[in-house]
Amino acid sequence: MRHLINDDGTPFESSELQTLHSELDALDNNGRSEYRNQNASVIAKHSAGKFLIVSGPGTGKSTLFKGRISFWLEQDSTSKILCLTFVRKLVADLDSDIQGDENLTQAQKDQVEVHTLHKFARSIVEQNHGTTEWRFQPHFRIIGQSWKDVVWGDVLAFHAGLDPGLYSWKKFEEQLHNADFDEAIEWQNLKETYFKLCRFFNAAGFADLILRAKDALAENTNLNESDCFIIDEYQDFNAAEDALINQLVNNPRGLLVVGDDEQVLYEKLKSGKPNLIRNLYRNNDYANGMLPFCGRSSFHITRSAGHFIQQNRDTECIEKIYLPIKTDDDKPKVQVIACATAPTAVDYIEKFVADNKTAIGERKAKLAEGKEKDAFLLILTPAKEVNFYGESKKKITNIAAEYQAENRYFSEDYYKILSYYSLANNPQNNFTFRKVLHYENIAMAKVHELIKLAMQKNQNSCDLEVVEVKNATQKTNDIKTILEAGDQTIGQKIESLAGHISLSDKKRLKEDIERKAINQEEVTEIEHQEEEEAELEEIEVKKMGAIELMTIVGSKGLSADHVIIIGFDNVNMSRVTKNAFYVAMTRARKSLHILTALKSGGARQAHDFLEQLPDEHAEYFSYKKSNHTKSQLQGKQGFKDYLNSLNSMSQRRS
């Protein structure tokens, strides 16, 4: 069997892929591992300057990256290599693997940089102080998720006649993502105002950060010090990000682009364009390669996911081979569970946690010690807020919270106080001043008046001789004095702070300040952490505890021993794409549980994805809270019949 490489850049022919699929699937365990390793090794050492790799979930991207990096360094010891991805965990894992590679010298390790795309873009814009047209002062700030609407409200205030419903931030952000701006005079004026306001605030949003980085690279080619590049998750790039990458990798010594158009997740979140990777697949300038074997998920999970994604495939989709690395294993089939209510589903999760309490505790300890990277259990939900579980929402949230390694995120109260303190130390920071005006509940009309006046006078907000500015400045100084008082306990300081600003959770705030004091020494680090959290929030990603409750989209790039998907019904899963569900399934290594809970958010039946699961690799159960037992049902039809019987009983009772 030949390796899955087309040197001339032509797409793999469907008939050949089908033949190879059959031949690879006929291999025994040793044959599969040997082929996987040889195929990856040949790709890693291939002479092609530009290479596109189609890589399904769990098929060994990280190993390939390390092999390609070693190859490039062997070919030219002076190479500088840049790896870019959306996934923070991959950055941490790959960087850790590179630093721990005994085959590389420290000098070689220092020639490899691994970043998220947003962090790289921020670095480029910072070094260039913005662009020639839109300059920034040093140390510009990021407009995080929670401040986007506030800033856009400031923009709209300059155009009072426009309907906010028609001229929304969401619509403008989509134009930023697409690097394609509406030619209507209203949108052109809004765009101009937004960029002027960003310059006044010395701040940028994540979407326009990408555009600014592309322009900065065009203006100053010295900003790009790399000659070899690895671009990951290319299927989720939008037009603006693609333009940035094209500017970055112009005439590279080595370029490896990796993705899978069946794992597209960010079409709605940030206008990801799967056609970009499909076009690259047909571009003869790139050699084409493929990784066929999933080594992450168990036999039944891989088979189920592979079967699922093959149903009703998009005709434009890149055809690929996706097979389990083993011919069978002792792991369970996919578990599809029918529950009468949301509390029943939560009880199922509680029982699973109780049955695995020792293993979960061990994972929590190892995560804290840095000896493990993955969660034991991911609980994946179609919606960020699990409101469809009603009163059971808090219980399911507490299940995950109990096993967090630490309380990693600071409270809103903490960041509020940080803003006041930061402004006291740097009153010229107009973006922080804007935050304080927001916290002070100054009327929008007055805030607009102050911003407009400062911009007209070319002054900082703090220099305005108006009562609102004087009062805010005085309060920031008072708060700074309280925080720096050496003769008060944290509790006493919080009581004093409460006399100046409203606090929603004093207990949580006390824990936050005990963990990280707000002082001049720490303030820069804390603000940097705030922006890192904003980046995670931008694509709904978070760091790992032993048990995590997160959205399906937020699970991108993660894996866990066990995965429980909730909300698998005709109501709550209605907006989840087929690709997103495929990604959710393939996060699981050992077991996958899919829960349908009737009455949650009005659910009356399972989602239609049920029909696309293979019976030979899935088992169907009912679960009863009263005796904590699950009973096997007669396949898919038995599952549907059970749900119908529950609905009938519910109707008779009502």
Side-chain angles (χ1 to χ4, degrees):
M1 275 179 289
R2 77 180 186 95
H3 298 115
L4 284 165
I5 302 169
N6 277 356
D7 299 314
D8 60 1
T10 57
F12 292 92
E13 292 184 3
S14 179
S15 58
E16 184 189 21
L17 282 180
Q18 290 172 16
T19 299
L20 283 168
H21 183 284
S22 298
E23 291 175 347
L24 291 172
D25 205 14
L27 294 174
D28 60 16
N29 288 344
N30 290 334
R32 289 172 186 239
S33 294
E34 184 178 351
Y35 182 88
R36 176 194 62 180
N37 297 340
Q38 287 183 355
N39 186 62
S41 178
V42 172
I43 291 173
K45 297 176 181 178
H46 197 279
S47 60
K50 296 181 178 179
F51 219 135
L52 172 67
I53 306 299
V54 177
S55 174
T59 52
K61 287 190 306 182
S62 297
T63 301
L64 176 63
F65 293 166
K66 288 183 287 182
R68 196 64 171 165
I69 288 167
S70 295
F71 171 74
W72 281 333
L73 290 172
E74 288 169 6
Q75 296 297 302
D76 185 349
S77 60
T78 65
S79 280
K80 290 196 173 181
I81 301 167
L82 176 64
C83 309
L84 295 176
T85 180
F86 294 116
V87 183
R88 186 76 70 86
K89 185 175 182 295
L90 178 63
V91 171
D93 291 353
L94 184 56
D95 194 50
S96 174
D97 288 344
I98 291 168
Q99 294 306 316
D101 191 337
E102 296 179 355
N103 296 319
L104 299 177
T105 66
Q106 188 57 52
Q108 288 176 319
K109 294 173 184 177
D110 293 341
Q111 288 165 227
V112 183
E113 291 188 23
V114 190
H115 298 297
T116 62
L117 187 66
H118 288 127
K119 187 171 183 179
F120 171 76
R122 194 196 194 294
S123 172
I124 292 297
V125 176
E126 183 67 64
Q127 291 177 66
N128 203 53
H129 301 304
T131 64
T132 300
E133 184 178 9
W134 300 107
R135 283 291 175 205
F136 280 146
Q137 297 300 312
H139 313 301
F140 74 92
R141 301 298 303 277
I142 295 295
I143 303 170
Q145 193 76 16
S146 58
W147 294 102
K148 287 179 179 180
D149 288 337
V150 173
V151 172
W152 189 245
D154 293 337
V155 172
L156 289 173
F158 282 89
H159 307 273
L162 297 181
D163 181 352
L166 294 176
Y167 298 93
S168 65
W169 166 255
K170 184 177 181 181
K171 290 179 180 179
F172 182 65
E173 188 175 41
E174 189 173 336
Q175 295 176 45
L176 292 169
H177 286 150
N178 291 327
D180 183 18
F181 294 94
D182 195 307
E183 293 297 327
I185 188 66
E186 292 85 357
W187 279 114
Q188 290 297 313
N189 290 338
L190 287 167
K191 173 189 170 186
E192 182 78 6
T193 301
Y194 175 76
F195 279 96
K196 283 181 178 178
L197 202 56
C198 285
R199 183 169 58 192
F200 173 70
F201 286 148
N202 199 40
F206 284 111
D208 52 286
L209 188 62
I210 299 297
L211 298 177
R212 297 174 195 273
K214 183 252 183 184
D215 290 343
L217 284 169
E219 292 173 6
N220 184 0
T221 56
N222 292 328
L223 291 170
N224 180 15
E225 298 179 347
S226 303
D227 58 359
C228 292
F229 305 88
I230 294 175
I231 310 299
D232 187 32
E233 304 290 352
Y234 187 64
Q235 76 278 351
D236 280 317
F237 276 60
N238 58 36
E241 292 159 346
D242 184 56
L244 168 59
I245 294 303
N246 287 332
Q247 183 67 49
L248 175 68
V249 305
N250 185 31
N251 195 29
R253 190 177 76 78
L255 173 61
L256 182 70
V257 180
V258 184
D260 174 12
D261 59 341
E262 288 177 319
Q263 293 187 70
V264 173
L265 283 189
Y266 299 146
E267 287 176 288
K268 293 181 180 178
L269 193 63
K270 63 178 192 65
S271 303
K273 297 285 188 291
N275 63 297
L276 293 173
I277 190 172
R278 292 169 183 170
N279 291 339
L280 213 60
Y281 184 62
R282 301 179 184 93
N283 185 337
N284 291 346
D285 291 339
Y286 288 74
N288 281 324
M290 195 173 292
L291 303 179
F293 285 113
C294 174
R296 173 200 295 156
S297 301
S298 70
F299 172 78
H300 290 296
I301 294 171
T302 304
R303 286 290 195 198
S304 294
H307 177 89
F308 171 80
I309 202 63
Q310 285 293 323
Q311 310 304 302
N312 307 315
R313 292 179 76 246
D314 186 339
T315 55
E316 295 296 311
C317 194
I318 299 170
E319 189 173 354
K320 55 189 70 73
I321 299 172
Y322 188 65
L323 293 167
I325 194 61
K326 293 185 177 180
T327 58
D328 203 351
D329 57 35
D330 59 355
K331 304 299 184 295
K333 293 183 178 183
V334 173
Q335 312 277 290
V336 188
I337 315 297
C339 302
T341 62
T344 305
V346 173
D347 189 77
Y348 180 90
I349 297 171
E350 284 183 307
K351 186 176 187 305
F352 181 89
V353 171
D355 290 345
N356 293 277
K357 194 172 185 67
T358 301
I360 295 170
E362 290 172 354
R363 180 62 55 86
K364 178 180 177 181
K366 288 182 178 179
L367 283 166
E369 295 168 7
K371 295 179 180 178
E372 283 282 357
K373 300 173 182 177
D374 295 325
F376 183 86
L377 170 65
L378 292 180
I379 306 170
L380 303 183
T381 166
K384 201 167 188 177
E385 299 292 334
V386 195
N387 293 327
F388 57 89
Y389 266 18
E391 294 180 0
S392 298
K393 171 187 173 181
K394 186 172 183 180
K395 186 174 284 189
I396 196 170
T397 303
N398 290 340
I399 291 172
E402 183 181 348
Y403 288 97
Q404 296 300 315
E406 61 172 325
N407 184 10
R408 296 154 305 187
Y409 301 108
F410 294 110
S411 61
E412 288 187 22
D413 286 337
Y414 184 88
Y415 283 126
K416 180 192 291 190
I417 293 168
L418 175 66
S419 294
Y420 281 93
Y421 182 82
S422 179
L423 188 62
N425 287 296
N426 183 15
Q428 291 78 29
N429 190 317
N430 291 324
F431 188 48
T432 307
F433 212 110
R434 178 65 186 92
K435 291 182 179 182
V436 167
L437 292 177
H438 176 77
Y439 291 135
E440 288 290 289
N441 294 315
I442 305 296
M444 276 295 296
K446 187 63 183 179
V447 170
H448 174 61
E449 181 185 320
L450 297 177
I451 291 173
K452 187 176 180 180
L453 182 62
M455 292 176 72
Q456 286 175 342
K457 290 187 171 186
N458 196 27
Q459 290 182 331
N460 291 315
S461 296
C462 64
D463 296 324
L464 297 175
E465 292 291 330
V466 296
V467 64
E468 289 84 4
V469 169
K470 290 179 179 178
N471 289 343
T473 301
Q474 181 60 51
K475 187 173 288 190
T476 62
N477 291 327
D478 291 343
I479 287 172
K480 179 181 178 180
T481 300
I482 292 169
L483 289 169
E484 293 182 347
D487 58 347
Q488 287 189 330
T489 65
I490 293 175
Q492 290 171 329
K493 290 180 180 181
I494 289 173
E495 290 304 320
S496 297
L497 290 169
H500 291 78
I501 54 177
S502 61
L503 301 175
S504 59
D505 190 341
K506 294 179 183 178
K507 180 182 177 183
R508 170 75 189 277
L509 178 60
K510 184 173 184 291
E511 292 172 354
D512 287 342
I513 296 178
E514 286 173 342
R515 181 158 58 98
K516 181 74 81 172
I518 298 178
N519 55 46
Q520 291 190 42
E521 209 171 289
E522 302 281 4
V523 70
T524 301
E525 181 186 339
I526 299 168
E527 288 176 334
H528 177 68
Q529 183 172 340
E530 181 183 16
E531 292 186 359
E532 284 197 338
E533 289 180 15
E535 182 188 353
L536 293 175
E537 191 175 6
E538 185 74 8
I539 53 175
E540 299 185 7
V541 175
K542 58 192 288 189
K543 300 174 185 177
M544 288 295 95
I547 298 177
E548 287 288 355
L549 171 67
M550 62 173 58
T551 63
I552 285 171
V553 172
S555 70
K556 181 71 174 179
L558 305 178
S559 62
D561 290 10
H562 309 277
V563 169
I564 297 176
I565 301 174
I566 64 174
F568 185 69
D569 57 65
N570 59 322
V571 176
N572 301 299
M573 194 72 71
S574 60
R575 294 187 178 182
V576 173
T577 65
K578 182 178 177 180
N579 290 342
F581 192 72
Y582 175 59
V583 168
M585 294 175 72
T586 54
R587 300 311 91 193
R589 293 180 179 275
K590 298 178 180 178
S591 78
L592 172 63
H593 311 249
I594 303 173
L595 273 59
T596 299
L598 298 185
K599 302 180 184 177
S600 56
R604 293 185 58 81
Q605 63 189 44
H607 192 276
D608 289 344
F609 289 157
L610 178 73
E611 301 297 340
Q612 297 166 22
L613 298 176
D615 284 332
E616 62 268 34
H617 299 291
E619 294 179 308
Y620 301 86
F621 297 89
S622 64
Y623 180 78
K624 293 186 178 179
K625 182 181 177 183
S626 57
N627 53 9
H628 311 295
T629 58
K630 63 181 184 181
S631 304
Q632 190 154 9
L633 301 169
Q634 292 302 307
K636 200 175 293 176
Q637 189 58 50
F639 183 85
K640 291 187 285 187
D641 290 343
Y642 179 77
L643 292 178
N644 288 334
S645 69
L646 290 176
N647 283 318
S648 297
M649 283 191 290
S650 178
Q651 289 175 349
R652 286 198 297 270
R653 287 170 184 165
S654 61

